[in-house]
Amino acid sequence: MTAAPSRARLVGLGRSEFADRLGEAIDVYVTAMGYPRPTTRQRRSLWLEHSYRPGWRSVGWLDEQDRLTGIGYGYWGGPGQWWFEEVRRGLRARRGEPDAVSADWLTDYFELTELHVHPQAQGSGIGEALLRALARDAARSRMLLSTPEYGRARPGRAWRLYRRAGFVDVLREHLFTGDPRPFAVLGRELPLLPTDHPTHAPE
């Protein structure tokens, strides 16, 4: 008796499953971002460390051959974390002390740390499925993320996804320590609005 063929699906990744598929996940990351392969060495330990932070959750997209073609994860953000402190520094530099609205963004939020889809699988709704799965069980009142600015170029798929999902500007043209590229920090209140595009629930 032959096994039924697998179907493409969205899956929840626990810490052990995440660690088992970490090589695949980072391969998706460096391919999607166009980063050099040596990047994988430093990312491996960082991603594993992130998986032990409070509120951490990860989801992946598996194709018909059970290969990981999309990866997303995040955790509850807060003081003392590198990303939190960098964004707070940026807000203070732009506005003196953060105003009430800006300061509110940095409370009770889920940081969408990574969301990537392999270029060969992009454009099929996988990114939105991953985003919505993470947002659905974020257990926080808002979600924040950072993404490279697009400059004079046309906004790419990631930007179009975040705008479609209702993310607004929190901080623009921000320079994170150690990275010369300008980034945008985007956020939105949770939950996300329902979508007309059906997605598979995590298994």
Side-chain angles (χ1 to χ4, degrees), residues 44-91:
R44 187 176 187 86
S45 59
L46 180 63
W47 286 24
L48 284 175
E49 186 273 323
H50 285 169
S51 71
Y52 286 87
R53 293 192 176 184
W56 178 88
R57 293 190 66 252
S58 180
V59 292
W61 189 272
L62 302 179
D63 67 9
E64 293 82 354
Q65 285 75 48
D66 204 46
R67 295 174 302 198
L68 192 72
T69 57
I71 183 66
Y73 79 81
Y75 46 81
W76 300 339
Q81 295 174 358
W82 181 83
W83 194 88
F84 174 96
E85 299 298 340
E86 286 283 310
V87 173
R88 181 164 65 176
R89 172 181 62 80
L91 291 172

Side-chain angles (χ1 to χ4, degrees), residues 133-148:
L134 289 172
R136 185 165 54 246
D137 298 316
R140 285 293 183 266
S141 62
R142 56 188 59 86
M143 178 179 278
L144 292 176
L145 62 92
S146 55
T147 189

Side-chain angles (χ1 to χ4, degrees), residues 115-139:
L115 182 67
H116 307 286
V117 178
H118 194 283
Q120 294 180 351
Q122 291 177 5
S124 56
I126 294 174
E128 183 170 353
L130 297 172
L131 173 63
R132 289 186 174 278
L134 289 172
R136 185 165 54 246
D137 298 316

